[in-house]
Amino acid sequence: MDQERPAHANNGSTTVVVDSREPEEIRFALLDAGVDFDIRLLPDGDVMLVAPSGFVVGIERKTVADFLASIADGRLDGQVARGCTTYGLFIIALEGTWSILNQDAYDGPEKDPKGPFIKAGGRKRAWRASSFWAKLLSIQRQNANLYLLPTPS
């Protein structure tokens, strides 16, 4: 595996590296939590954790809306494949909330009798719940770990 090593020895503790393209609020949250971290341009993912043993974990943060957009434009499959190759463990952290709407409660343009929909971030576009869960399953089959992190809207 192409596990990137940290620029310095981690002295028996886990090294945290944040991608330089991540928003400042992520860095501020880590600082507020007392986490020491480096900032670097990462080849894949948004955060890299390097254990004292050298085992490397990559984390890709996605809002639910970005996750759905990544499915639609095809980015997600490539990101998962690269992350699983680059890191010993690759995690996708889904942030945010979504609603599963019964067909009767949904009045959007995609109204279809085939079942419930998932709507994220107040966007007008909704996804069939079965499509959403099928994509989650396909990610797990690629040996990526998926964590759902509900966050306030």
Side-chain angles (χ1 to χ4, degrees), residues 89-110:
L89 173 64
F90 185 60
I91 296 170
I92 297 175
L94 277 183
E95 300 175 346
T97 58
W98 63 86
S99 303
I100 297 179
L101 304 172
N102 288 326
Q103 186 61 41
D104 296 338
Y106 181 69
D107 61 357
E110 298 89 3

Side-chain angles (χ1 to χ4, degrees), residues 30-117:
L30 289 171
L31 287 171
D32 288 346
V35 176
D36 291 327
F37 61 92
D38 296 331
I39 300 172
R40 278 205 315 241
L41 180 64
L42 295 177
D44 297 296
D46 299 317
V47 177
M48 179 175 70
L49 307 173
V50 183
S53 66
F55 187 77
V56 183
V57 176
I59 301 171
E60 175 73 31
R61 291 180 336 95
K62 288 208 173 285
T63 64
V64 175
D66 184 41
F67 179 78
L68 295 174
S70 298
I71 294 170
D73 66 19
R75 284 181 292 138
L76 186 65
D77 289 327
Q79 288 174 323
V80 170
R82 286 189 309 275
C84 288
T85 301
T86 302
Y87 301 108
L89 173 64
F90 185 60
I91 296 170
I92 297 175
L94 277 183
E95 300 175 346
T97 58
W98 63 86
S99 303
I100 297 179
L101 304 172
N102 288 326
Q103 186 61 41
D104 296 338
Y106 181 69
D107 61 357
E110 298 89 3
K111 189 159 182 142
D112 186 313
K114 294 184 181 173
F117 284 83

